């Protein structure tokens, strides 16, 4: 992991080198991966509460991978249905170009009419390219904001962002990324930052950065939500140590074999 926390987690980096999400779903669905559904459900409630304005609402998904959150927001599909689509036997061996062409038609068939502009930021160029090619993202970038300032293209794209979403990326990205994003945005009364953060990770440093940009952070949900099951015993043991080190009780949560995440929402003071 990179960013502000060096907590051990299972390494899934190899799945982000594929030109489509089949490896992603093969790795995560057996682990009961569910955080995108919790995240998008809450983001929908945030979007519904924003004041209406003429322009489409612009959402930036940080660590967007293959546009999974975007797929849930743009379509009538559930995460389970997305997984079934990508893991279907008939597409197991088709070339990536065929899969991408099929996926674009698939998402077109299940599209919802939304006044949303969806942007993505991720370290994986193949994941960003896929989400763009199948129409899940309106624009996407793979700038490394932990190390570098935004490219001119990303800088221009960030200017009109209304809502920043990060469902599980904190720990891979940290204060530098959030600072650079917020520095490029126009902070308005309806600006929101929504983050789902594993309980093993301290969100305090990011909260401090957001506060420096005039945003106050509070809890979005009363209870933590499940992200996925632990991939192995090493990940379980490391997570339990980290949760306890933060003064939190893993009984009934991480001790049951799952990563749990808290939801934070930030808005202007």
């Amino acid at each position: 992991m990179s960013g502000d926390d060096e907590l051990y987690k299972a390494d899934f980096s190899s799945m982000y080198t594929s030109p489509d999400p089949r490896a992603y779903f093969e790795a995560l669905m057996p682990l009961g991966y569910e955080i995108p559904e919790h995240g998008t459900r809450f983001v929908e409630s945030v979007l519904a509460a924003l004041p209406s304005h003429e322009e489409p609402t612009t959402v930036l998904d940080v660590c967007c991978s293959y546009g999974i959150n975007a797929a849930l927001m743009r379509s009538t599909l559930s995460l389970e249905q997305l997984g079934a689509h990508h893991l279907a036997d008939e597409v197991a061996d088709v070339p990536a170009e065929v899969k991408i062409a099929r996926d674009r038609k698939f998402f077109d068939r299940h599209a919802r009419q939304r006044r949303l502009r969806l942007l993505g930021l991720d370290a994986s160029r193949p994941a960003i390219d896929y989400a763009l090619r199948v129409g899940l993202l309106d624009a996407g970038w793979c700038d490394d904001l932990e190390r570098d300032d935004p490219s001119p293209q990303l800088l221009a794209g960030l200017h009109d962002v209304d809502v920043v979403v990060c469902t599980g990326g904190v720990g891979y990205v940290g204060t530098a990324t959030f600072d650079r994003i917020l520095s490029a945005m126009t902070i308005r009364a309806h600006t929101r930052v929504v983050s789902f953060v594993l309980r093993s990770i301290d969100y305090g440093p990011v909260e401090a950065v957001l506060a420096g940009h005039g945003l106050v952070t509070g809890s979005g949900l009363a209870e933590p939500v499940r992200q996925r099951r632990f991939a192995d015993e090493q990940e379980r043991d490391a997570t339990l140590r980290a949760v306890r080190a933060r003064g939190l009780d893993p009984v009934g949560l991480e001790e049951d074999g799952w990563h749990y995440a808290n939801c934070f929402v930030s808005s202007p003071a």
Side-chain angles (χ1 to χ4, degrees):
M1 296 181 74
S2 62
D4 299 318
D5 197 298
E6 296 301 322
L7 170 72
Y8 169 81
K9 283 182 68 182
D11 184 8
F12 293 107
S13 57
S14 61
M15 70 188 183
Y16 294 106
T17 63
S18 302
D20 64 68
R22 281 175 286 189
Y24 176 97
F25 282 98
E26 285 169 2
L28 291 178
M29 294 307 281
L31 298 177
Y33 188 54
E34 57 185 64
I35 197 69
E37 220 146 42
H38 296 302
T40 53
R41 188 179 302 123
F42 183 76
V43 171
E44 293 285 3
S45 70
V46 170
L47 296 176
L50 295 182
S52 59
H53 51 282
E54 287 187 19
E55 298 299 320
T57 300
T58 299
V59 177
L60 172 69
D61 188 359
V62 179
C63 299
C64 66
S65 75
Y66 290 91
I68 309 306
N69 289 339
L72 296 176
M73 295 177 72
R74 282 204 189 278
S75 75
T76 59
L77 298 163
S78 67
L79 185 61
E80 182 178 359
Q81 289 171 318
L82 278 179
H85 167 75
H86 289 296
L87 299 179
D89 290 342
E90 61 265 27
V91 298
D93 299 316
V94 301
E97 287 299 313
V98 174
K99 178 75 166 64
I100 289 169
R102 290 174 63 147
D103 286 355
R104 186 173 187 93
K105 293 177 181 177
F106 174 75
F107 289 120
D108 283 346
R109 287 198 304 273
H110 294 280
R112 298 166 60 193
Q113 297 304 311
R114 307 292 306 276
R115 294 186 71 254
L116 284 178
R117 183 167 174 262
L118 298 178
L119 314 179
L121 178 67
D122 197 90
S124 169
R125 170 53 65 186
I128 289 287
D129 286 346
Y130 170 84
L132 290 169
R133 292 184 66 186
V134 301
L136 296 176
L137 294 178
D138 295 296
W141 304 270
C142 60
D143 296 38
D144 183 354
L145 299 187
E146 286 298 292
R147 298 190 309 173
D148 304 314
D149 288 334
S151 63
Q153 295 80 8
L154 176 55
L155 199 63
L158 292 174
H159 185 265
D160 294 322
V161 167
D162 300 298
V163 178
V164 178
V165 176
C166 188
T167 57
V170 174
Y172 296 102
V173 299
T175 55
T177 292
F178 282 89
D179 188 36
R180 286 174 165 132
I181 289 172
L182 271 293
S183 295
M185 288 171 54
T186 301
I187 306 300
R188 291 164 286 196
H190 64 269
T191 297
R192 299 290 185 273
V193 176
V194 177
S195 295
F196 281 75
V197 184
L198 295 182
R199 290 188 349 124
S200 50
I201 294 174
D202 180 11
Y203 193 55
V206 174
E207 287 187 50
V209 166
L210 299 179
H213 291 276
L215 302 182
V216 176
T217 300
S219 297
L221 295 172
E223 300 292 337
V225 297
R226 294 194 302 193
Q227 188 212 37
R228 61 165 172 82
R229 285 188 289 270
F230 296 125
D232 52 41
E233 285 301 308
Q234 184 181 0
E235 186 178 51
R236 178 184 184 276
D237 292 345
T239 300
L240 289 174
R241 286 195 301 271
V243 168
R244 291 186 179 116
R246 297 196 59 232
L248 303 176
D249 186 359
V251 174
L253 298 167
E254 290 85 3
E255 275 196 354
D256 291 344
W258 290 78
H259 280 296
Y260 275 82
N262 287 320
C263 174
F264 299 93
V265 59
S266 307
S267 58

